[in-house]
Amino acid sequence: MPESYKVGIIGAGRIGRIHIENLVYQIPNVTLKTIADIHITPELNQWINNLGNLKITHTPEEIFEDEEIDAVIIASSTDTHALFIQKAAKAKKHIFCEKPIDTNISRIEHTLEMTEEEEIKLMIGFNRRFDPDFRSAYEVVKKGEIGTPHIIKITSRDPAPPPRDFIKKSGGLFADMTIHDWDMACFLSQSEVVEVYASGGVLIDPEIAKLGDIDTAVSMLKFSNGAFGIIDNSRQAVYGYDQRIEVFGSKGCIMVDNKPVTNLKIFTEKETKEDKIPYFFLERYKQSYINELRYFFNCLREGISPRPNGDDGLKNIIITRAAQKSFEEKRPVKISEIIP
Amino acid sequence: MPESYKVGIIGAGRIGRIHIENLVYQIPNVTLKTIADIHITPELNQWINNLGNLKITHTPEEIFEDEEIDAVIIASSTDTHALFIQKAAKAKKHIFCEKPIDTNISRIEHTLEMTEEEEIKLMIGFNRRFDPDFRSAYEVVKKGEIGTPHIIKITSRDPAPPPRDFIKKSGGLFADMTIHDWDMACFLSQSEVVEVYASGGVLIDPEIAKLGDIDTAVSMLKFSNGAFGIIDNSRQAVYGYDQRIEVFGSKGCIMVDNKPVTNLKIFTEKETKEDKIPYFFLERYKQSYINELRYFFNCLREGISPRPNGDDGLKNIIITRAAQKSFEEKRPVKISEIIP
Amino acid sequence: MPESYKVGIIGAGRIGRIHIENLVYQIPNVTLKTIADIHITPELNQWINNLGNLKITHTPEEIFEDEEIDAVIIASSTDTHALFIQKAAKAKKHIFCEKPIDTNISRIEHTLEMTEEEEIKLMIGFNRRFDPDFRSAYEVVKKGEIGTPHIIKITSRDPAPPPRDFIKKSGGLFADMTIHDWDMACFLSQSEVVEVYASGGVLIDPEIAKLGDIDTAVSMLKFSNGAFGIIDNSRQAVYGYDQRIEVFGSKGCIMVDNKPVTNLKIFTEKETKEDKIPYFFLERYKQSYINELRYFFNCLREGISPRPNGDDGLKNIIITRAAQKSFEEKRPVKISEIIP
Amino acid sequence: MPESYKVGIIGAGRIGRIHIENLVYQIPNVTLKTIADIHITPELNQWINNLGNLKITHTPEEIFEDEEIDAVIIASSTDTHALFIQKAAKAKKHIFCEKPIDTNISRIEHTLEMTEEEEIKLMIGFNRRFDPDFRSAYEVVKKGEIGTPHIIKITSRDPAPPPRDFIKKSGGLFADMTIHDWDMACFLSQSEVVEVYASGGVLIDPEIAKLGDIDTAVSMLKFSNGAFGIIDNSRQAVYGYDQRIEVFGSKGCIMVDNKPVTNLKIFTEKETKEDKIPYFFLERYKQSYINELRYFFNCLREGISPRPNGDDGLKNIIITRAAQKSFEEKRPVKISEIIP
């Protein structure tokens, strides 16, 4: 019988609740024991009670100090991630932390050093690697079915811009949207990014410009093995959440297209229609959140170091920094310019 | 807040366990209280304990007699359905019963009379009506987007023949496979079957002939509104579980194709490949089992009579009988020949 | 260098002109010399002159008596086919004749006997066998890639009913539409039809009923090897010319779907659209007319007997007769009832 | 009745012969009179004789001096284009010239000035604009169905590298492959390129590096209206001739995928297969060559200035120059740096 784990989670916001539901219903041999959140509203209290016999607390310390708890899920706000990783590591608990680790490179490096000393497992939540379709594509590439990757293409467009408050604090399009695509490009290429050229502009909403951000971007990556990556982003694809990947290699090409919500095809005198593609990221990536946690606990069971790990998380931040610099200075920027 | 229900279930076999898991994890405001099964193995006991605080019993009577219980799910063997429906109806409990109600037409009629007297709701588990794709197709037809249906086409092929023991007792291909397609054809056509012509043979496995059954069949339906239905069945589609529908009408056509497991497309020097279609019916129709129970409890809440109801269940048995007669007598058979 | 042929054609109507253009522009090493038509309008005269140096005549005898001419294409009205085949055969010319040979079975048999005596090649123009997609499907089936065929499915729907004058003389839906599908089913199954069950009605236009015809039909075939065929026809698919085939076999399944006119996919806030499928049969089957003539002359060059031959043409008439009888007598009809 | 034209063509090489066949068989009301080529082999002579009564000559002057000839098709080697355009223009003949006009920008400018003085029509053969699918996509964009274009994506990959001799003289990948994509990007965006960033490398064949060229490239365009273009090229897509476009706009997205050769889908125990995509550019773009000439002569008839015109041809050369400079200097290059 597989080893079972007791878990605490910090943060019961939108993404935290996804993990909580998945822990309760979808992850076998794992028991969620404690939920910590700084704002325990009556509504949250009620929601948690409906899920069964769970402990709710204001203080994450209750999780760190609980000897029964083996692993901590960190789903609190970004500015708390590094601190909670450090505390959990000190408490010898395995850690699954939402992306990003932090926005400060030195703080990330310091945090990662600590986790290494404590010999616990740390996984960062770049969930798209666990989307069943993208994962299958990765497996095909890894098996060599399409040879050596030459060009990785990622299309990543949101259905609608986020609220202004989010944009103000997000760190910009490259930090909040493209970061997922850097991770996917690295994952699929099985190589290291060495250079970034990023360009973009405001084509959708002038208000976004006023907030200092862009809404449309195209980025080009060079990998250490000579391969190229091209990514295009938009904050507003009116037809839905457009998420596609393509890996072109020496022996073939693999493409993963969007899946319409249903498989209906309607033929009329006027036109042929398919169903629309999903609109919400939670609908599109639902299974990836389940699969990433299953994988995390399987890694614990088998003593494997999970990926994406802290280094992956750090690299994605560094690429973001390079992209931002490229965008500002209107020139390709080497990764070595960011981390000499 | 939506009204909540307490539920008992009879039968914890393959299909029963699907309903149990769905009741526990997927159906909001419904509480599974009691599970009755005649064979409570230690393994079943353990499986149920993992799901939480549920009562297990050998005797369905505990469910019928429990005043707290509002609704009964019947997932026991076919020969017990009619009896349990009668008992549940007498106990004034709403009923969701797996298909078929029974194989004896008089007994079905008698059972349905009883449920009508007791004024409880009865739904029969033809789950495919609740497959999201097929349901959407139905909605499109119902809205009139393709006009009046003229031809309904159903492809329904299993990936591999069932065990011989199943075939011995199933009542034959028309009773165990095509019954779902009769129901789907009636559902989509929004009309009544008036005549059946069914033909078939043994093309896959001579052993099936020895058991008195066939493995390949084609059926043709006439509907009261003049429309036609064509259904083809095979017990062995080596490429997977092939489930497609098409409704051709005066103003257009709607087709629902199989969905590959992933949306990958691989291009190599030798070929272009897609992913395979699902192989297991539980994988293919997973969502339909959840949706049918959600719908059932919503009907209770809103005081609506659920469909497919007892009459739908009866009709599907009558069409099966007509198809069997048509196959044996090698001629089209009118429904009025079965039920004058 | 390939042997070259001189050709005469009888009939310069709609289908005749397709063959004329193909002979002039598309068939290498074949020279069209003479065109015979009973109605030589100034417009036809002009049209032919634009094609080059071609002889026009009212009398087919000029073709039969021309010793330079090797092969005759018969594209005149159906009632003249048998006579012209006989005359061309006597003149020792190879023959490509449009379908059907005749509507009278004895006359067909007599005609075929004559062509056999004369040792010339006779091919009948069931052009759909030469559609590149359907031909490729046939090759896949023939190679055994999907094993033994169990079920052949053909969807064959016209975009709009033909003119009333055509319906009056066509011999009915089974004779003018389904005859192509009988041929395709035989071609794909590589077996012989032994029984037909055909049903149909008037669902589109009551005027068609007044003319003694139907506009919607479903047919079921049994083949000598145990396989089944199912065909559905409609005279009015408002979305275009719907032509699909499917062969399901012991080792797999092959499907040929309609091709949209262009490969565009448009995603908007409201919907996802593809292009429509072709509307006209000449557009849909353009290449098949070219390919059937190329094949015919290649057969002459290589001394191969072309298919579909006279026997194929005869069989399709017999199946039509059986279908008509089945429709009228509302029962399955054996081929042996038509030709004992 | 439409006005008819007499035509001479210079160059009967690979592309010249395509135009010759199309002029003879596919372009109504146009008569090819004279073919000029410096190498009249017996094989060419024979090939031309088979097409009918055509004049063959070594000297293009015979075309320029022939008063009957209205239009000249220039399909000779690139280094002769400018000279023949000038001569044809002086002779007051309309001109369809294969791309590119020349590789020297001043010489192009001088040539275009001359054609303007003579008031004849000049069209340059960027045939892909006349591919039926791409043309339809353009029409959809032009009608505003997807709003303002934000991102244009072009995938353009050859099935196999050209012969080394071709690579030696081609001017490099950007000049021989990507030039078609610059043209397509301008065509679809309906805007002007203002900046190019191009990168590339040798990932397929080290021999290509020895010849001073690359085999893989990615390019990014900025348009005057703020839109972006991304193009990826490879000299070797082992699965075929990969030609796709996508235009993402404020109100939707249009995608044009590759078309498999046939529409077959084969399902077996092991896999689901589609047919491969076309391998040869002549097969892929066959219709575009017909359509561009039909369009050219329609423009003459209607007095419309055809596009792509001389300016389009010049712009594509300038973008190529900018891309080459960008590749060499590893930085984005403004069009204004090439043509101040």
Side-chain angles (χ1 to χ4, degrees), chain C residues 239-259:
Chain C
Y239 52 91
Y241 188 38
D242 190 352
Q243 299 281 299
R244 286 170 284 152
I245 62 170
E246 175 176 336
V247 185
F248 169 76
S250 57
K251 292 185 181 166
C253 189
I254 184 161
M255 305 180 193
V256 185
D257 207 344
N258 294 302
K259 257 184 204 155

PDB file of all heavy atoms in Angstrom, chain C residues 239-259:
ATOM      1  N   TYR C 239     -26.742  22.143 -46.480  1.00  0.00           N
ATOM      2  CA  TYR C 239     -25.361  22.603 -46.221  1.00  0.00           C
ATOM      3  C   TYR C 239     -24.385  22.183 -47.315  1.00  0.00           C
ATOM      4  O   TYR C 239     -23.204  22.506 -47.239  1.00  0.00           O
ATOM      5  CB  TYR C 239     -24.888  22.070 -44.874  1.00  0.00           C
ATOM      6  CG  TYR C 239     -25.071  20.582 -44.729  1.00  0.00           C
ATOM      7  CD1 TYR C 239     -24.083  19.696 -45.087  1.00  0.00           C
ATOM      8  CD2 TYR C 239     -26.282  20.060 -44.264  1.00  0.00           C
ATOM      9  CE1 TYR C 239     -24.270  18.333 -44.973  1.00  0.00           C
ATOM     10  CE2 TYR C 239     -26.475  18.697 -44.150  1.00  0.00           C
ATOM     11  CZ  TYR C 239     -25.469  17.840 -44.506  1.00  0.00           C
ATOM     12  OH  TYR C 239     -25.657  16.485 -44.410  1.00  0.00           O
ATOM     13  N   GLY C 240     -24.851  21.439 -48.306  1.00  0.00           N
ATOM     14  CA  GLY C 240     -23.948  21.092 -49.403  1.00  0.00           C
ATOM     15  C   GLY C 240     -24.055  19.645 -49.833  1.00  0.00           C
ATOM     16  O   GLY C 240     -24.970  18.927 -49.427  1.00  0.00           O
ATOM     17  N   TYR C 241     -23.115  19.255 -50.649  1.00  0.00           N
ATOM     18  CA  TYR C 241     -23.124  17.937 -51.277  1.00  0.00           C
ATOM     19  C   TYR C 241     -22.379  16.975 -50.349  1.00  0.00           C
ATOM     20  O   TYR C 241     -21.155  16.911 -50.342  1.00  0.00           O
ATOM     21  CB  TYR C 241     -22.432  18.072 -52.631  1.00  0.00           C
ATOM     22  CG  TYR C 241     -22.502  16.869 -53.526  1.00  0.00           C
ATOM     23  CD1 TYR C 241     -23.644  16.087 -53.609  1.00  0.00           C
ATOM     24  CD2 TYR C 241     -21.412  16.532 -54.313  1.00  0.00           C
ATOM     25  CE1 TYR C 241     -23.685  14.991 -54.449  1.00  0.00           C
ATOM     26  CE2 TYR C 241     -21.454  15.445 -55.158  1.00  0.00           C
ATOM     27  CZ  TYR C 241     -22.597  14.677 -55.217  1.00  0.00           C
ATOM     28  OH  TYR C 241     -22.637  13.582 -56.052  1.00  0.00           O
ATOM     29  N   ASP C 242     -23.138  16.228 -49.562  1.00  0.00           N
ATOM     30  CA  ASP C 242     -22.592  15.443 -48.453  1.00  0.00           C
ATOM     31  C   ASP C 242     -22.257  14.025 -48.929  1.00  0.00           C
ATOM     32  O   ASP C 242     -23.151  13.217 -49.179  1.00  0.00           O
ATOM     33  CB  ASP C 242     -23.616  15.422 -47.316  1.00  0.00           C
ATOM     34  CG  ASP C 242     -23.063  14.831 -46.032  1.00  0.00           C
ATOM     35  OD1 ASP C 242     -21.947  14.301 -46.043  1.00  0.00           O
ATOM     36  OD2 ASP C 242     -23.769  14.920 -45.012  1.00  0.00           O
ATOM     37  N   GLN C 243     -20.986  13.737 -49.023  1.00  0.00           N
ATOM     38  CA  GLN C 243     -20.514  12.473 -49.601  1.00  0.00           C
ATOM     39  C   GLN C 243     -19.443  11.882 -48.689  1.00  0.00           C
ATOM     40  O   GLN C 243     -18.289  12.292 -48.723  1.00  0.00           O
ATOM     41  CB  GLN C 243     -19.896  12.747 -50.992  1.00  0.00           C
ATOM     42  CG  GLN C 243     -20.863  13.329 -51.995  1.00  0.00           C
ATOM     43  CD  GLN C 243     -21.770  12.266 -52.584  1.00  0.00           C
ATOM     44  OE1 GLN C 243     -21.301  11.325 -53.222  1.00  0.00           O
ATOM     45  NE2 GLN C 243     -23.063  12.375 -52.347  1.00  0.00           N
ATOM     46  N   ARG C 244     -19.852  10.907 -47.894  1.00  0.00           N
ATOM     47  CA  ARG C 244     -18.897  10.302 -46.952  1.00  0.00           C
ATOM     48  C   ARG C 244     -18.944   8.783 -47.031  1.00  0.00           C
ATOM     49  O   ARG C 244     -19.985   8.219 -47.324  1.00  0.00           O
ATOM     50  CB  ARG C 244     -19.243  10.717 -45.520  1.00  0.00           C
ATOM     51  CG  ARG C 244     -18.888  12.158 -45.197  1.00  0.00           C
ATOM     52  CD  ARG C 244     -19.473  12.552 -43.853  1.00  0.00           C
ATOM     53  NE  ARG C 244     -20.908  12.801 -43.934  1.00  0.00           N
ATOM     54  CZ  ARG C 244     -21.766  12.638 -42.931  1.00  0.00           C
ATOM     55  NH1 ARG C 244     -21.356  12.182 -41.761  1.00  0.00           N
ATOM     56  NH2 ARG C 244     -23.037  12.906 -43.102  1.00  0.00           N
ATOM     57  N   ILE C 245     -17.828   8.155 -46.759  1.00  0.00           N
ATOM     58  CA  ILE C 245     -17.814   6.697 -46.689  1.00  0.00           C
ATOM     59  C   ILE C 245     -17.065   6.251 -45.432  1.00  0.00           C
ATOM     60  O   ILE C 245     -16.253   6.995 -44.871  1.00  0.00           O
ATOM     61  CB  ILE C 245     -17.139   6.050 -47.920  1.00  0.00           C
ATOM     62  CG1 ILE C 245     -15.668   6.481 -48.013  1.00  0.00           C
ATOM     63  CG2 ILE C 245     -17.878   6.384 -49.197  1.00  0.00           C
ATOM     64  CD1 ILE C 245     -14.887   5.691 -49.054  1.00  0.00           C
ATOM     65  N   GLU C 246     -17.380   5.045 -45.015  1.00  0.00           N
ATOM     66  CA  GLU C 246     -16.708   4.461 -43.850  1.00  0.00           C
ATOM     67  C   GLU C 246     -16.682   2.959 -44.045  1.00  0.00           C
ATOM     68  O   GLU C 246     -17.681   2.356 -44.446  1.00  0.00           O
ATOM     69  CB  GLU C 246     -17.506   4.826 -42.589  1.00  0.00           C
ATOM     70  CG  GLU C 246     -16.980   4.175 -41.335  1.00  0.00           C
ATOM     71  CD  GLU C 246     -17.740   4.624 -40.082  1.00  0.00           C
ATOM     72  OE1 GLU C 246     -18.339   5.725 -40.085  1.00  0.00           O
ATOM     73  OE2 GLU C 246     -17.748   3.853 -39.106  1.00  0.00           O
ATOM     74  N   VAL C 247     -15.526   2.358 -43.805  1.00  0.00           N
ATOM     75  CA  VAL C 247     -15.440   0.901 -43.826  1.00  0.00           C
ATOM     76  C   VAL C 247     -14.900   0.455 -42.482  1.00  0.00           C
ATOM     77  O   VAL C 247     -13.785   0.827 -42.089  1.00  0.00           O
ATOM     78  CB  VAL C 247     -14.541   0.384 -44.969  1.00  0.00           C
ATOM     79  CG1 VAL C 247     -14.596  -1.148 -45.023  1.00  0.00           C
ATOM     80  CG2 VAL C 247     -14.947   0.981 -46.303  1.00  0.00           C
ATOM     81  N   PHE C 248     -15.713  -0.325 -41.786  1.00  0.00           N
ATOM     82  CA  PHE C 248     -15.331  -0.845 -40.476  1.00  0.00           C
ATOM     83  C   PHE C 248     -14.962  -2.312 -40.658  1.00  0.00           C
ATOM     84  O   PHE C 248     -15.730  -3.078 -41.261  1.00  0.00           O
ATOM     85  CB  PHE C 248     -16.511  -0.711 -39.511  1.00  0.00           C
ATOM     86  CG  PHE C 248     -16.308  -1.451 -38.218  1.00  0.00           C
ATOM     87  CD1 PHE C 248     -15.470  -0.943 -37.237  1.00  0.00           C
ATOM     88  CD2 PHE C 248     -16.943  -2.664 -37.986  1.00  0.00           C
ATOM     89  CE1 PHE C 248     -15.274  -1.626 -36.039  1.00  0.00           C
ATOM     90  CE2 PHE C 248     -16.757  -3.361 -36.795  1.00  0.00           C
ATOM     91  CZ  PHE C 248     -15.916  -2.838 -35.829  1.00  0.00           C
ATOM     92  N   GLY C 249     -13.778  -2.685 -40.168  1.00  0.00           N
ATOM     93  CA  GLY C 249     -13.341  -4.062 -40.370  1.00  0.00           C
ATOM     94  C   GLY C 249     -12.767  -4.686 -39.121  1.00  0.00           C
ATOM     95  O   GLY C 249     -12.718  -4.066 -38.047  1.00  0.00           O
ATOM     96  N   SER C 250     -12.317  -5.906 -39.264  1.00  0.00           N
ATOM     97  CA  SER C 250     -11.847  -6.681 -38.114  1.00  0.00           C
ATOM     98  C   SER C 250     -10.573  -6.090 -37.497  1.00  0.00           C
ATOM     99  O   SER C 250     -10.284  -6.326 -36.333  1.00  0.00           O
ATOM    100  CB  SER C 250     -11.592  -8.129 -38.537  1.00  0.00           C
ATOM    101  OG  SER C 250     -10.659  -8.161 -39.609  1.00  0.00           O
ATOM    102  N   LYS C 251      -9.832  -5.298 -38.262  1.00  0.00           N
ATOM    103  CA  LYS C 251      -8.582  -4.743 -37.728  1.00  0.00           C
ATOM    104  C   LYS C 251      -8.564  -3.228 -37.668  1.00  0.00           C
ATOM    105  O   LYS C 251      -7.499  -2.630 -37.425  1.00  0.00           O
ATOM    106  CB  LYS C 251      -7.405  -5.224 -38.583  1.00  0.00           C
ATOM    107  CG  LYS C 251      -7.127  -6.706 -38.459  1.00  0.00           C
ATOM    108  CD  LYS C 251      -5.877  -7.083 -39.222  1.00  0.00           C
ATOM    109  CE  LYS C 251      -5.613  -8.574 -39.107  1.00  0.00           C
ATOM    110  NZ  LYS C 251      -4.629  -9.015 -40.097  1.00  0.00           N
ATOM    111  N   GLY C 252      -9.706  -2.600 -37.915  1.00  0.00           N
ATOM    112  CA  GLY C 252      -9.719  -1.153 -37.852  1.00  0.00           C
ATOM    113  C   GLY C 252     -10.849  -0.560 -38.660  1.00  0.00           C
ATOM    114  O   GLY C 252     -11.777  -1.259 -39.083  1.00  0.00           O
ATOM    115  N   CYS C 253     -10.757   0.731 -38.860  1.00  0.00           N
ATOM    116  CA  CYS C 253     -11.840   1.445 -39.537  1.00  0.00           C
ATOM    117  C   CYS C 253     -11.227   2.567 -40.369  1.00  0.00           C
ATOM    118  O   CYS C 253     -10.252   3.187 -39.966  1.00  0.00           O
ATOM    119  CB  CYS C 253     -12.774   2.035 -38.483  1.00  0.00           C
ATOM    120  SG  CYS C 253     -14.302   2.728 -39.144  1.00  0.00           S
ATOM    121  N   ILE C 254     -11.782   2.792 -41.541  1.00  0.00           N
ATOM    122  CA  ILE C 254     -11.337   3.914 -42.356  1.00  0.00           C
ATOM    123  C   ILE C 254     -12.534   4.809 -42.633  1.00  0.00           C
ATOM    124  O   ILE C 254     -13.616   4.334 -42.963  1.00  0.00           O
ATOM    125  CB  ILE C 254     -10.649   3.438 -43.650  1.00  0.00           C
ATOM    126  CG1 ILE C 254     -10.120   4.637 -44.433  1.00  0.00           C
ATOM    127  CG2 ILE C 254     -11.551   2.613 -44.533  1.00  0.00           C
ATOM    128  CD1 ILE C 254      -9.072   4.256 -45.435  1.00  0.00           C
ATOM    129  N   MET C 255     -12.339   6.103 -42.453  1.00  0.00           N
ATOM    130  CA  MET C 255     -13.405   7.073 -42.690  1.00  0.00           C
ATOM    131  C   MET C 255     -12.909   8.122 -43.674  1.00  0.00           C
ATOM    132  O   MET C 255     -11.780   8.578 -43.579  1.00  0.00           O
ATOM    133  CB  MET C 255     -13.790   7.777 -41.394  1.00  0.00           C
ATOM    134  CG  MET C 255     -14.170   6.835 -40.260  1.00  0.00           C
ATOM    135  SD  MET C 255     -14.619   7.758 -38.758  1.00  0.00           S
ATOM    136  CE  MET C 255     -14.617   6.396 -37.562  1.00  0.00           C
ATOM    137  N   VAL C 256     -13.785   8.499 -44.594  1.00  0.00           N
ATOM    138  CA  VAL C 256     -13.480   9.612 -45.489  1.00  0.00           C
ATOM    139  C   VAL C 256     -14.573  10.658 -45.319  1.00  0.00           C
ATOM    140  O   VAL C 256     -15.729  10.427 -45.667  1.00  0.00           O
ATOM    141  CB  VAL C 256     -13.392   9.178 -46.959  1.00  0.00           C
ATOM    142  CG1 VAL C 256     -12.943  10.348 -47.830  1.00  0.00           C
ATOM    143  CG2 VAL C 256     -12.432   8.012 -47.125  1.00  0.00           C
ATOM    144  N   ASP C 257     -14.173  11.767 -44.761  1.00  0.00           N
ATOM    145  CA  ASP C 257     -15.109  12.845 -44.464  1.00  0.00           C
ATOM    146  C   ASP C 257     -15.179  13.814 -45.654  1.00  0.00           C
ATOM    147  O   ASP C 257     -14.377  13.741 -46.564  1.00  0.00           O
ATOM    148  CB  ASP C 257     -14.599  13.587 -43.223  1.00  0.00           C
ATOM    149  CG  ASP C 257     -15.712  14.250 -42.441  1.00  0.00           C
ATOM    150  OD1 ASP C 257     -16.820  14.409 -42.990  1.00  0.00           O
ATOM    151  OD2 ASP C 257     -15.472  14.621 -41.287  1.00  0.00           O
ATOM    152  N   ASN C 258     -16.155  14.710 -45.632  1.00  0.00           N
ATOM    153  CA  ASN C 258     -16.211  15.784 -46.609  1.00  0.00           C
ATOM    154  C   ASN C 258     -15.025  16.729 -46.421  1.00  0.00           C
ATOM    155  O   ASN C 258     -14.555  16.917 -45.308  1.00  0.00           O
ATOM    156  CB  ASN C 258     -17.494  16.603 -46.433  1.00  0.00           C
ATOM    157  CG  ASN C 258     -18.733  15.809 -46.754  1.00  0.00           C
ATOM    158  OD1 ASN C 258     -18.880  15.305 -47.859  1.00  0.00           O
ATOM    159  ND2 ASN C 258     -19.626  15.665 -45.787  1.00  0.00           N
ATOM    160  N   LYS C 259     -14.580  17.329 -47.506  1.00  0.00           N
ATOM    161  CA  LYS C 259     -13.526  18.346 -47.447  1.00  0.00           C
ATOM    162  C   LYS C 259     -14.159  19.717 -47.582  1.00  0.00           C
ATOM    163  O   LYS C 259     -14.808  19.991 -48.591  1.00  0.00           O
ATOM    164  CB  LYS C 259     -12.590  18.174 -48.642  1.00  0.00           C
ATOM    165  CG  LYS C 259     -11.282  17.517 -48.354  1.00  0.00           C
ATOM    166  CD  LYS C 259     -10.442  17.521 -49.637  1.00  0.00           C
ATOM    167  CE  LYS C 259      -9.419  16.415 -49.604  1.00  0.00           C
ATOM    168  NZ  LYS C 259      -8.987  15.974 -50.910  1.00  0.00           N
TER     169      LYS C 259
END
